[in-house]
Amino acid sequence: MQQQTGHTLKAFDEDIDRLRGLISEMGQLAQSAIRESMRCLIERDTEGALRVVERDKEIDRLEIETEKRVVQLIALRAPMAGDLRDAVAALKISGVVERIGDYAKNIAKRVPLLEGSSDIEPVSLLPEMARIATDMVTDVLRAFVERDAKAAVRVCERDQAVDDFYDSIFRTLLTHMMENPHNIGQSAHLLFVAKNLERVGDHATNIAEMVYYAATGDHMVEPTKKRRRKTT
Amino acid sequence: MQQQTGHTLKAFDEDIDRLRGLISEMGQLAQSAIRESMRCLIERDTEGALRVVERDKEIDRLEIETEKRVVQLIALRAPMAGDLRDAVAALKISGVVERIGDYAKNIAKRVPLLEGSSDIEPVSLLPEMARIATDMVTDVLRAFVERDAKAAVRVCERDQAVDDFYDSIFRTLLTHMMENPHNIGQSAHLLFVAKNLERVGDHATNIAEMVYYAATGDHMVEPTKKRRRKTT
């Protein structure tokens, strides 16, 4: 095995920092895609929604780019222990960010299906739920860039709020469906939108667990992890 | 960089074969979890569903084990080019199999929520949809073990059938909700079950794309990839 000299060590650090930058850039695209898909949903902006769907390709491209660079990094620098863990974490985190982008795309794809339908009350809760979920993504990617295990734990703790929003919206939508059978199609789409946002919170939690592991070498203990209730 | 001798080459092949075996074992657990969760759903077997939820921990454990072994493999054998691509593919595929296990768990978690409700017609389509989706998982993991790029392409082609089942079940459930407002809660849960199965098909497709890439070094061309319509 290659001995790591001061020179290769520095080169690895530079490479992994660039990788973190790339993943952070992906994360910003994914967050703004969620915000934009929610704006399009609320304002029934079908044109804008199509642009969100189109721009998801850029996130997909960045994931492929990240994977290529991680593989090159491992092949060239032969990182060991903590460095190898960092490289693997980067690979996995970019995969999760790509899926967060997919949720934004899925929300955007429902916008044309809602055209012509009237506003219903649960929609008023969705933007706030989206705001908490995207803030979790922002903060967990900052924790990743800064290798901050404590910040990662704090992100996990906020997932309960997203789950509570989801439960509330689920119940409200079901009641709305019973009272307004002609709105059932719209409500079904909004159920899935709420579910997508709940999954964004879950994925931010997953990233937080990976950041914690990469930074400490230990797995996050159960009580700080999401208390998964996903039964609705 | 370490020169690969005949000895280390053989050791790598043995290690990666063992990894494929481990992922194949995970895949079998995930498939049987989906089949079992569907049986519990149809027979309203709440006890059985709880066992499915409990057994998902074994899949999670195997994913952590796979990741540990991939990292060890890379650190010890310093694989290059195709071998490194294989190792990275193993890591990513085990992550996708873990998510397929999560879908089975999510389906199982809905079983107690359906207790006491009567059978409704769309349920009759769900087991067939589940069968196609789990067969895709079986076949894509066989393609992975055998490094068979052509078999991977054939798996992708079958995802359209899963999507068609989903669209049909979605429409049937919406009609059912309109006609039977008292069954709306049950129907909403079944909407999510159908969505989970549709996602299992998507994930089998994702694995197929990774198998293709690992085996050929090329990305699968668009027309054979899933024609994503996910608008419902």
Side-chain angles (χ1 to χ4, degrees), chain A residues 190-232:
Chain A
L190 294 176
L191 269 183
F192 282 118
V193 170
K195 190 71 191 171
N196 284 336
L197 293 175
E198 191 258 350
R199 296 294 294 146
V200 170
D202 284 351
H203 281 3
T205 302
N206 291 344
I207 295 175
E209 289 168 15
M210 292 172 195
V211 169
Y212 188 93
Y213 178 68
T216 65
D218 291 319
H219 289 286
M220 206 182 274
V221 287
E222 280 296 327
T224 42
K225 281 172 74 171
K226 178 178 163 56
R227 295 168 295 286
R228 288 171 201 277
R229 294 175 307 144
K230 276 185 290 170
T231 49
T232 49

Side-chain angles (χ1 to χ4, degrees), chain A residues 174-182, chain B residues 181 184:
Chain A
L174 251 55
T175 306
H176 185 84
M177 284 166 138
M178 286 176 213
E179 291 167 357
N180 305 275
H182 58 283
Chain B
I184 275 176

